[in-house]
Amino acid sequence: MIVGKHLIAGEWVGGSESFENAPVEGEVSSFAAGTPAIVDKAARGAEDAFWTYGYSSRASRAVFLRSIAEEIDARGEEITAMGARETGLPELRLNGERGRTVGQLRLFADHIEKGDYLDLRRDEALPDRQPLPRPDLKMVQRPIGPVAVFGASNFPLAFSTAGGDTAAALAAGCPVVVKGHSAHPGVSDIVAQAIDAAIKKSSVHPGVFSQVQGGSRDVGQSLVQHPMIRAVGFTGSLGGGRALFDLCAQRPDPIPFFGELGSVNPMFLLPNAIASRGEDIATGWVGSLTMGAGQFCTNPGIAVIMAGADAEAFIAAAKASLGEIGAQDMLTDGIAKAYRDGRDRVRAISGVQEVLTTTCDQRKATPYLYQSTGKAWLANDELGEEVFGPLGVVVTVENEDEMIAVAHSIVGQLTMTLHMDAGDTALASRLMPIIERKAGRLLANGFPTGVEVADSMVHGGPYPASTNFGATSVGTLSIRRFLRPVCYQNMPDEILPKDLR
């Protein structure tokens, strides 16, 4: 059952304004629309909660995270049914995403119980050191305070209400205020109910979690500018993310904005690999490019390949495989329109040729394939801009030096991929120092869609892929975004944080 209200510090709060979701099929539901006043109440509730939750034990927070996972699983069928209606995503994908969401909650619970993330350090006192004694120094990572999280359009579970940013902040000891995404308010409502139940079961302060739904642009602006908010987690468009990032920087007290803003995720297809298995690589690329209607931030939209017969065979194989892909529902009408606008922008660029053109309208997406050259790529930055959907561009280069030049020209990415065989090692070795500076995750002979939630994962990269190249929004390292190091000098053990005693 949908509540249709905001969850604010343990209370379901309505309002005078409302909005409706836009399901692919089924009944429309109505939801209360957020206001700056509701944001203020949520942020103040989060600050109140921090004075207990921020100083709670790792064990109690682990229990809370596991309880959230249990409550989400208990509502699994309801979440999947609502998600399918609102987003058009298939049940299998939604069930898998729910598994990822609860899995990362449990992983983070296990991780904080071990305590390694605290980076504990100590320099013992040296009272007899000359010419000056050294004091006793201890250091530990401490939670920063309330965190604002913006839900993502393309992941109604894993990057939204109880997704990675929320899980990381709660694991760190930070209360959370979520701005729910209007693409799936029903799913967000049900997940908020699960978190509310976990709060009551675990007896934590109700202000530890709030969710504000809908509302005009000033709702998001008031959230990132609220004096009680100490950091922001965001997954979304470059334009929207940059606007919020600038607001965070313009505050009287600037705060960190951890924005994941998208990527074209270039692949470099090296000669020996293409000569020996080009058709298989083309088929794999098409599967990755069109997965989920191409609505992944790790969608590999660019393939760079040496011009010649092998390149033509690769393009022909990709075209044939793409031609078998039917129309797919996109997450929202707005995303579908943006996809069509991106298609029109790409095909209007000088030096771009259509390889496969289709017809898509309303909320449907069909694949497109274009071909360009290294020379055209280097002459026009627009070719490197993300098109959110199943659109691919093959860039043919004349020689190794032009491939290196293309690699140098690419801006920050979430991922970059090398498809290579043993005979390609020399060229791959030339590319590695370049792509290492460009992306947070480097792949060999694979496809970047599908981000493993693990200790070693990095989901981030240099701008514009993300706004903080030193952070990741996936994996246990993501918890560190919401901590800061504190050093204690000659502090009596009795008043130190428990993790240092």
Side-chain angles (χ1 to χ4, degrees):
M1 295 291 292
I2 297 299
V3 178
K5 298 180 179 181
H6 316 285
L7 176 59
I8 308 297
E11 299 180 11
W12 292 96
V13 177
S16 58
E17 298 183 7
S18 63
F19 72 102
E20 294 179 337
N21 61 359
V24 174
E25 58 182 19
E27 296 182 1
V28 170
S29 300
S30 181
F31 301 86
T35 64
I38 291 173
V39 167
D40 179 66
K41 184 175 181 180
R44 293 185 183 280
E47 176 68 11
D48 288 343
F50 182 69
W51 295 107
T52 53
Y53 189 72
Y55 299 87
S56 60
S57 69
R58 290 180 280 118
S60 66
R61 294 201 301 277
V63 168
F64 178 44
L65 292 173
R66 294 187 182 109
S67 181
I68 296 173
E70 291 170 3
E71 294 294 337
I72 290 173
D73 270 341
R75 295 161 175 79
E77 291 185 5
E78 188 179 359
I79 289 170
T80 297
M82 178 57 69
R85 287 207 302 272
E86 287 189 318
T87 68
L89 294 172
E91 289 187 7
L92 183 63
R93 152 73 193 273
L94 288 163
N95 287 335
E97 190 181 331
R98 176 166 54 86
R100 170 181 169 150
T101 303
V102 299
Q104 65 190 1
L105 285 162
R106 292 175 174 129
L107 173 65
F108 288 3
D110 294 342
H111 185 73
I112 63 173
E113 283 183 328
K114 295 174 185 175
D116 295 344
Y117 76 102
L118 295 169
D119 194 17
L120 297 171
R121 304 184 185 202
R122 183 180 184 186
D123 294 293
E124 294 185 359
L126 298 174
D128 299 325
R129 189 183 68 175
Q130 296 298 325
L132 293 172
R134 184 177 76 187
D136 179 79
L137 302 171
K138 301 183 180 72
M139 191 274 282
V140 67
Q141 300 285 341
R142 298 294 297 150
I144 59 175
V147 172
V149 171
F150 285 74
S153 63
N154 58 333
F155 280 90
L157 294 163
F159 282 90
S160 291
T161 303
D165 288 344
T166 297
L170 292 176
C174 299
V176 173
V177 179
V178 169
K179 172 64 173 67
H181 200 285
S182 57
H184 44 74
V187 173
S188 299
D189 186 299
I190 299 168
V191 175
Q193 293 178 48
I195 298 175
D196 187 36
I199 288 171
K200 292 179 170 64
K201 184 188 297 184
S202 305
S203 299
V204 299
H205 191 295
V208 75
F209 177 84
S210 292
Q211 178 169 260
V212 182
Q213 297 263 44
S216 57
R217 184 173 298 179
D218 63 347
V219 174
Q221 293 174 346
S222 65
L223 181 56
V224 302
Q225 292 181 307
H226 198 285
M228 301 299 181
I229 296 298
R230 306 316 307 160
V232 179
F234 174 89
T235 300
S237 69
L238 174 60
R242 183 55 196 254
L244 294 174
F245 173 80
D246 289 345
L247 288 175
C248 287
Q250 292 163 8
R251 287 173 45 137
D253 56 337
I255 59 173
F257 179 86
F258 298 102
E260 192 268 279
L261 308 180
S263 181
V264 294
N265 306 292
M267 305 186 307
F268 290 86
L269 314 179
L270 305 194
N272 287 280
I274 290 301
S276 63
R277 48 192 176 88
E279 185 173 339
D280 290 340
I281 295 173
T283 302
W285 180 40
V286 167
S288 182
L289 184 69
T290 60
M291 182 186 298
Q295 298 170 113
F296 290 92
C297 50
T298 53
N299 187 29
I302 305 295
V304 184
I305 188 171
M306 216 78 75
D310 289 335
E312 295 307 314
F314 171 85
I315 293 169
K319 178 181 179 180
S321 189
L322 280 169
E324 298 175 358
I325 304 297
Q328 301 178 72
D329 287 313
M330 300 203 86
L331 293 160
T332 68
D333 292 327
I335 290 173
K337 181 181 183 303
Y339 176 59
R340 294 192 295 271
D341 291 345
R343 169 205 62 191
D344 295 342
R345 174 179 56 77
V346 169
R347 66 186 180 189
I349 296 173
S350 176
V352 172
Q353 299 176 339
E354 291 184 342
V355 177
L356 175 70
T357 183
T358 55
T359 301
C360 63
D361 55 15
Q362 298 180 332
R363 198 161 163 173
K364 299 288 185 181
T366 51
Y368 292 86
L369 182 63
Y370 297 92
Q371 181 179 353
S372 189
T373 64
K375 183 178 180 180
W377 173 279
L378 294 169
N380 198 318
D381 293 340
E382 270 195 289
L383 266 174
E385 294 179 9
E386 181 184 28
V387 178
F388 196 60
L391 183 149
V393 178
V394 179
V395 179
T396 56
V397 295
E398 292 302 319
N399 50 47
E400 290 189 5
D401 287 342
E402 191 169 63
M403 182 175 281
I404 295 295
V406 168
H408 273 297
S409 73
I410 292 171
V411 298
Q413 304 290 326
L414 294 171
T415 76
M416 294 180 78
T417 301
L418 299 177
H419 285 276
M420 57 177 290
D421 282 353
D424 295 312
T425 302
L427 177 54
S429 296
R430 291 184 66 190
L431 286 164
M432 275 295 287
I434 305 167
I435 67 174
E436 189 180 67
R437 295 185 67 185
K438 303 287 185 175
R441 178 163 58 110
L442 308 179
L443 296 84
N445 298 324
F447 300 95
T449 43
V451 183
E452 186 70 27
V453 181
D455 290 331
S456 304
M457 179 52 63
V458 174
H459 190 61
Y463 186 85
S466 62
T467 56
N468 190 311
F469 60 79
T472 174
S473 61
V474 177
T476 53
L477 186 61
S478 67
I479 298 170
R480 288 288 294 270
R481 295 175 296 168
F482 307 119
L483 299 165
R484 65 183 182 90
V486 179
C487 176
Y488 302 84
Q489 182 171 323
N490 291 334
M491 195 67 63
D493 284 350
E494 294 78 10
I495 60 173
L496 282 171
K498 292 179 181 178
D499 289 317
L500 274 176
R501 294 179 194 174

